[in-house]
């Protein structure tokens, strides 16, 4: 019996990311397939470690970039996933979405784009709505310009009126809030694999209701759903999302392929909403590098297959996508209800209760994460309740920072 060729994949991740991603189920399955996942000690020079067949990382800074470059010079055949220069594009929320506008994709199943947005560098421009740009109007979502995974970069606001601009600190991005039926679609990309799931999002804001809303609502990119609670079928039923129609599978796959080729990234996800004004119009509102894959069903098998693919090909096809037929493969890759075979290492499907109940009117005690997560639906509903009660509750929520919710 032929001996399985073994590969060494070194990983350099922040502690929080390491704890969520490097789980025993992934390590064991990878080992069975001939892949040894080896922790890189970021406190020591990278050049003195390994050698590895592949370096998987989510670390930043000029020193780390220099270390990766030196390592590539010494070991030119080592795969670096992904290029620091390519990742940095996603640290700016303007350049992040610019790539979407540059995609040339024709698909009869629907159209796509990005919401109207502008970058604000000073307070005078922020408070003078006449210079924002034609068409941008309340409500808007205010996001920090820098998206580096820090807690600060996740602090955002849904702004209803001029009064809500007072506490914002430039530089920020103002993005048009688009009614989208209270549902966001999260698309995970791992090489040529694409998985689309639906999650609860902010409720729609009608023109009538907007007239009674003053100020803003602060929210953050957090979640209180554990990994075991993220089984799609259970989540959809719990959040009343069973009847929500998924985006056209072929369109999502085409966008994922186009983004991967344009950004030269292999591990990322992007958030999509459906513009309720135009039924088949989809808007990409955020892109994240190396997201929380452990929340994706069967992530161990998906990631292990990805490692085997790029390592066995020795990088030959590393920068190219597999050819995917929209008529056949897209259904297998993007299907909402179809799950990959469950790894024998992880079959438990436990349904845990959400910790912070919908009736809790105080600040929910929710752990924060350094990357995107799925939205806690009961908090989305809380925002809807606050909006229904008018501007006084909204302003109070901003002052007390009562509402913490995830959005792109």
């Amino acid at each position: 019996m032929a001996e399985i060729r073994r590969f060494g994949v070194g990983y350099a991740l922040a502690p929080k990311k390491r704890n969520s991603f490097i789980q025993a189920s992934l390590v064991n399955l990878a080992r069975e397939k001939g892949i040894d996942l080896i922790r890189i000690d970021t406190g020591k020079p990278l050049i003195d470690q390994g050698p590895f067949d592949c370096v998987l990382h989510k670390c930043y800074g000029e020193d780390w970039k220099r270390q990766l470059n030196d390592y590539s010079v010494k070991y030119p055949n080592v795969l670096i996933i992904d290029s620091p220069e390519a990742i940095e594009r996603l640290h700016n929320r303007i350049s992040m979405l610019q790539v979407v506008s540059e995609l040339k994709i024709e698909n009869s199943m629907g159209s796509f784009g990005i919401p109207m947005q502008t970058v604000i560098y000073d307070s005078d421009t922020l408070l003078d709505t006449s210079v924002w740009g034609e068409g941008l109007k309340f409500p808007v979502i205010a996001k920090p310009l820098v998206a580096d995974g820090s807690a600060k970069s996740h602090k955002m606001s849904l702004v209803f009126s001029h009064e809500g601009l007072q506490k914002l600190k430039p530089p920020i991005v103002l993005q048009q809030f688009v009614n989208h039926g209270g549902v966001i679609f999260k698309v995970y990309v791992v090489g040529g694999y694409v998985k689309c799931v639906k999650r609860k999002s902010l409720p729609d804001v009608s023109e009538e209701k907007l007239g009674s809303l003053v100020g803003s609502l602060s929210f953050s990119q957090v979640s209180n759903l554990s990994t075991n609670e993220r089984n799609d079928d259970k989540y959809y039923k719990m959040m009343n999302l069973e009847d929500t129609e998924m985006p056209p599978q072929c369109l999502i796959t085409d966008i994922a392929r186009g983004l991967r080729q344009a950004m030269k990234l292999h591990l990322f996800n992007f958030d999509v909403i459906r513009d309720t004004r135009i039924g088949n119009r989809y808007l990409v509102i955020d892109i994240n590098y190396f997201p929380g894959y452990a929340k994706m069903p069967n992530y161990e098998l998906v990631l292990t297959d990805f490692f085997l693919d790029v390592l066995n090909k020795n990088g030959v096809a590393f920068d190219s996508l597999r050819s995917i037929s929209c008529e056949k493969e897209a259904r297998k890759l993007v299907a909402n209800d179809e799950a990959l075979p469950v790894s024998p290492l992880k079959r438990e499907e436990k349904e845990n209760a959400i910790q912070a109940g919908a009736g809790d009117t105080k600040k929910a005690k929710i752990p924060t994460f350094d990357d995107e997560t799925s939205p806690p639906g009961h908090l989305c509903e809380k925002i809807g309740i606050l909006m229904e009660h008018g501007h006084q509750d909204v302003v109070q929520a901003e002052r007390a920072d009562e509402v913490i919710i995830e959005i792109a």
Side-chain angles (χ1 to χ4, degrees), residues 17-27 29 37 188 190 193 227 290-307 340-343 346:
K17 188 70 175 180
R18 186 172 63 242
N19 292 338
S20 66
F21 181 74
I22 304 297
Q23 299 185 17
S25 53
L26 173 63
V27 173
L29 181 60
L37 295 175
Y188 293 89
V190 183
Y193 175 89
T227 300
F290 205 149
Y293 285 118
K295 297 179 287 292
M296 183 178 71
N298 303 290
Y299 91 102
E300 305 94 337
L301 184 58
V302 175
L303 268 297
T304 300
D305 285 348
F306 168 70
F307 292 142
L340 291 170
V342 177
S343 165
K346 187 177 181 182

Side-chain angles (χ1 to χ4, degrees), residues 59-336:
C59 296
Y60 308 120
E62 291 303 315
D63 180 66
W64 178 248
K65 287 173 61 177
R66 178 189 56 78
Q67 290 195 57
L68 283 176
N69 183 67
D70 293 345
Y71 203 84
S72 295
V73 171
K74 184 176 181 180
Y75 303 106
N77 293 325
V78 173
L79 300 176
I80 305 295
I81 303 177
D82 274 307
S83 161
E85 290 75 19
I87 297 171
E88 285 177 353
R89 181 171 189 171
L90 298 186
H91 290 174
N92 180 297
R93 284 197 164 93
I94 293 296
S95 62
M96 171 198 295
L97 295 185
Q98 183 180 359
V99 64
V100 179
S101 301
E102 297 170 351
L103 295 181
K104 305 298 182 184
I105 297 175
E106 294 185 5
N107 192 298
S108 60
M109 301 299 294
S111 62
F112 70 96
I114 63 175
M116 187 177 301
Q117 60 180 16
T118 186
V119 60
I120 304 293
Y121 291 102
D122 60 84
S123 297
D124 290 340
T125 304
L126 174 63
L127 298 177
D128 186 358
T129 58
S130 65
V131 299
W132 284 4
E134 185 178 356
L136 194 61
K137 60 181 182 179
F138 295 113
V140 295
I141 294 181
K143 307 180 179 184
L145 176 62
V146 176
D148 57 3
S150 65
K152 182 179 180 181
S153 70
H154 289 322
K155 291 183 178 179
M156 310 176 197
S157 298
L158 177 57
V159 184
F160 302 105
S161 65
H162 193 274
E163 290 82 352
L165 302 172
Q166 302 295 331
K167 293 185 179 181
L168 300 180
K169 296 180 179 180
I172 59 173
V173 172
L174 296 180
Q175 186 180 87
Q176 184 66 60
F177 177 79
V178 178
N179 286 334
H180 53 284
V183 179
I184 189 171
F185 302 99
K186 291 187 170 291
V187 184
Y188 293 89
V189 180
V190 183
Y193 175 89
V194 180
K195 176 69 176 180
C196 182
V197 299
K198 48 191 173 182
R199 295 288 181 254
K200 204 79 169 179
S201 182
L202 294 176
D204 290 348
V205 181
S206 66
E207 290 288 340
E208 179 183 5
K209 178 55 63 178
L210 182 61
S212 65
L213 296 172
V214 178
S216 65
L217 280 171
S218 298
F219 56 92
S220 183
Q221 203 163 0
V222 299
S223 173
N224 66 334
L225 290 181
S226 67
T227 300
N228 286 337
E229 291 175 305
R230 294 179 185 279
N231 174 266
D232 284 350
D233 291 339
K234 296 175 183 177
Y235 178 89
Y236 296 158
K237 291 179 181 178
M238 186 166 56
M239 296 302 161
N240 300 315
L241 295 176
E242 308 102 302
D243 298 331
T244 300
E245 182 182 357
M246 296 293 285
Q249 299 167 351
C250 191
L251 176 62
I252 292 297
T253 304
D254 285 346
I255 296 173
R257 180 193 297 117
L259 288 175
R260 182 190 174 196
Q261 292 174 333
M263 298 189 302
K264 295 181 171 57
L265 292 175
H266 304 81
L267 301 175
F268 64 94
N269 84 332
F270 58 98
D271 295 342
V272 179
I273 60 174
R274 180 189 291 117
D275 189 340
T276 56
R277 299 168 301 178
I278 311 172
N280 63 344
R281 174 73 172 171
Y282 296 88
L283 302 175
V284 178
I285 60 175
D286 199 23
I287 307 175
N288 302 279
Y289 177 66
F290 205 149
Y293 285 118
K295 297 179 287 292
M296 183 178 71
N298 303 290
Y299 91 102
E300 305 94 337
L301 184 58
V302 175
L303 268 297
T304 300
D305 285 348
F306 168 70
F307 292 142
L308 287 173
D309 186 38
V310 296
L311 289 167
N312 280 317
K313 293 177 180 177
N314 199 27
V316 173
F318 189 61
D319 289 320
S320 63
L321 283 171
R322 300 178 215 167
S323 176
I324 301 175
S325 166
C326 290
E327 293 300 319
K328 297 180 180 179
E329 292 297 326
R331 290 185 175 85
K332 180 169 64 177
L333 295 177
V334 193
N336 169 47

Side-chain angles (χ1 to χ4, degrees), residues 3-8 30-37 53:
E3 184 178 351
I4 298 178
R5 180 184 175 184
R6 303 204 67 79
F7 297 99
R31 184 184 296 120
E32 287 183 4
K33 301 291 186 178
I35 298 173
D36 298 313
L37 295 175
D53 296 288

